[in-house]
Amino acid sequence: MSSIQLIFATNNANKVIEIQSVIPEGIQVISLAEAGINIDIPEPHNSLEANATEKSTVIHQLTNKNCFSEDTGLEVTALHGEPGVKSARYAGDHKNFNANIDKLLLNLQGEKNRTAQFRTVISLIWDDKEYQFEGICKGQITHETRGTNGFGYDAVFIPDGSDKTFGEMSLDEKNEYSHRKKAVAKLISCLQALTAN
Ligand code: IMP
């Protein structure tokens, strides 16, 4: 695959680090900051898919360049899929990770069913056409926080197949299970097909 550049439509530095850690040589992921773009991209919709499209479309309209975005939600079975698309603002518009975790653990107090999944939707705009990719990681919500690595709900989520929370894992360990890594693998395959020849 020849070298290609893609703008990543996010202001979340943690997501940039995670995605750059799994992107192969030949694909250059450029953050909004690196592209000199300073805007707060809206997430006004009720689905991860629609928000992902919104974010990639805004950046594509602004730059006219190939780009991608991602929207991720934590979907908790006992809370009927919440916080889901509202994961970032679960405890309010200030998007505070600790407050979001406190609210989640409070809402699950006394609940035996701790199953949940992270779901990532990536929206790629390549040559003016949109493609979407999904990555899911199933697991369990803990009763208290464990570990300080990562971000968001990482300290209260144990992926199936592990006994550690994402917050107790290195980035490489998280990538063995991660929803984001799975969605990015599909993005990479698509880019390889689009740029073959
Ligand atoms: P958004 O995709 O930027 O709307 O982010 C949704 C929210 O979900 C983030 O603010 C985090 O709180 C949470 N989140 C997204 N990805 C992860 C992850 O990989 N681990 C833990 N929390 C995450």
Side-chain angles (χ1 to χ4, degrees):
M1 185 167 40
S2 55
S3 179
I4 60 175
Q5 286 196 340
L6 274 180
I7 298 179
F8 182 17
T10 185
N11 288 311
N12 184 327
N14 297 98
K15 290 183 178 181
V16 176
I17 291 168
E18 285 196 9
I19 287 200
Q20 285 180 333
S21 79
V22 292
I23 286 281
E25 271 184 42
I27 303 176
Q28 196 189 349
V29 171
I30 301 162
S31 69
L32 286 183
E34 286 164 340
I37 300 166
N38 180 14
I39 55 166
D40 196 16
I41 314 176
E43 297 179 332
H45 302 290
N46 283 327
S47 72
L48 300 176
E49 285 78 3
N51 280 337
T53 299
E54 176 86 21
K55 291 190 266 192
S56 59
T57 303
V58 166
I59 296 305
H60 184 250
Q61 284 172 348
L62 204 62
T63 63
N64 211 24
K65 292 196 171 137
N66 293 324
C67 62
F68 72 101
S69 70
E70 69 102 275
D71 207 36
T72 294
L74 176 64
E75 300 172 337
V76 180
T77 310
L79 302 177
H80 313 288
E82 286 211 343
V85 72
K86 294 180 236 145
S87 292
R89 294 180 169 79
Y90 194 38
D93 279 344
H94 47 292
K95 294 192 187 177
N96 183 296
F97 290 155
N98 292 331
N100 287 340
I101 285 179
D102 288 347
K103 180 171 177 183
L104 177 69
L105 294 182
L106 192 64
N107 285 345
L108 284 176
Q109 223 168 40
E111 177 58 61
K112 288 205 176 70
N113 181 359
R114 315 290 294 188
T115 61
Q117 65 179 25
F118 276 114
R119 193 163 72 86
T120 290
V121 175
I122 289 181
S123 163
L124 166 70
I125 299 185
W126 182 268
D127 285 348
D128 300 329
K129 193 166 171 231
E130 191 198 6
Y131 304 81
Q132 283 203 346
F133 316 99
E134 181 184 69
I136 289 176
C137 176
K138 293 181 183 291
Q140 302 281 327
I141 304 295
T142 54
H143 290 268
E144 65 289 307
T145 58
R146 278 171 33 194
T148 53
N149 294 337
F151 69 103
Y153 300 90
D154 276 346
V156 291
F157 184 84
I158 301 176
D160 287 350
S162 176
D163 53 10
K164 288 185 191 175
T165 68
F166 276 157
E168 294 172 306
M169 294 184 185
S170 66
L171 184 51
D172 283 347
E173 284 175 289
K174 180 176 175 182
N175 282 337
E176 286 174 31
Y177 303 93
S178 151
H179 41 292
R180 187 163 293 105
K181 164 81 187 289
K182 288 175 188 162
V184 171
K186 294 178 187 173
L187 167 72
I188 293 167
S189 298
C190 177
L191 288 169
Q192 285 168 337
L194 288 168
T195 56
N197 305 317

